Amino acid sequence: MTDEKTTDHNITDKHQQRMQKMKEKVDARIESATEERGILIVITGNGKGKSTSGFGTVARAVGHGLNAAVAQFIKGTWACGERQLLENAGVKFSVMGTGFTWNTQDKEKDIAAAQQVWLKCKELLSDTNIDLVLLDEMTYMLSYKYIDLDEVITALNNRPKHQHVIITGRACHRAIIELADTVSEIKSIKHAFDSGIKAQKGIDW
Amino acid sequence: MTDEKTTDHNITDKHQQRMQKMKEKVDARIESATEERGILIVITGNGKGKSTSGFGTVARAVGHGLNAAVAQFIKGTWACGERQLLENAGVKFSVMGTGFTWNTQDKEKDIAAAQQVWLKCKELLSDTNIDLVLLDEMTYMLSYKYIDLDEVITALNNRPKHQHVIITGRACHRAIIELADTVSEIKSIKHAFDSGIKAQKGIDW
């Protein structure tokens, strides 16, 4: 009985020592991170979760009373659930609304629609009242050269110091990745769609 | 002038043909995906965006009028922005609320707290009124063996057929990954924290 208790006590001690060490490491890292400013976050890669991560961060920011705005490229022909919720919470949306480029099959129309949303983005990126701008699926616009890379980089560099920006989409241009403070690449390990499960409301849109 | 127009026309034609082909491919894939049921999504990996992706999907589901519930392991001592917004929208939260295990340094207390949240999870996973359950940062509870893997797998397998579940956290157990329909692994390419930028309200919590 006494032995068992001693063993239990040793295990508890070990756990506490390990956690104490971890706490010291974490605390030291937290202490060395002192800068506070608007950051550029890129969420790229082929896996599911890029846009939802962007919208989750918008929800987080709005929940804290920050002002957030969303520009949506490509999507926008479907009634996305997050848009309804976030618009109710005061988030302004600018939506390209033409759908996927393989649906329109009209390059000139797509470029005009992309340019129109980009004009709005430039406004947002110079508005000191906006704390967070989500540029959802913008990477494709740069891949297709529907909007100008240099213009995007200039607008990002000249934005208000406190303003956070999130860019989502596959195959993000290297120049944007270099500029970014935080970059996550979402790899697809598997996707329900590939097993014959259709896109479902509340999950996929 | 005529030549230029012809060239323009050819380019437009090519774009349309390419997009027409892409549309056929996409349409065929959409047509072959016919099954509709609750899916298990795992968002794992070391990069930023796991929890925000989960909460973004909750926002999406709630925006469509679905019933969603959230169980939060580990976190919960900070006032997360997304919680405030989503609770206002009717999402029920069950929160472990003890903070990180290196902060409590008390294994027994952590296990008891994890078990309490897991009890609530089992309720949610058998409630036919719930369309989506987010099990935020549950992977750590399995790594630490604070909750039982077999019990989790049984509860996931026996949940209502229409119910979607999202599990987030680093190093997800292989058995859960095998069970899942969609798995994304978020790799960290870089993180602002590593450049001395502190965790900021609305972005990191």
Side-chain angles (χ1 to χ4, degrees), chain B residues 44-57:
Chain B
T44 189
N46 297 338
K48 179 175 175 56
K50 294 182 290 296
S51 290
T52 47
S53 174
F55 284 107
T57 309

Side-chain angles (χ1 to χ4, degrees), chain A residues 92-104:
Chain A
K92 292 265 186 312
F93 275 68
S94 310
V95 178
M96 189 160 145
T98 49
F100 296 101
T101 188
W102 55 87
N103 277 328
T104 65

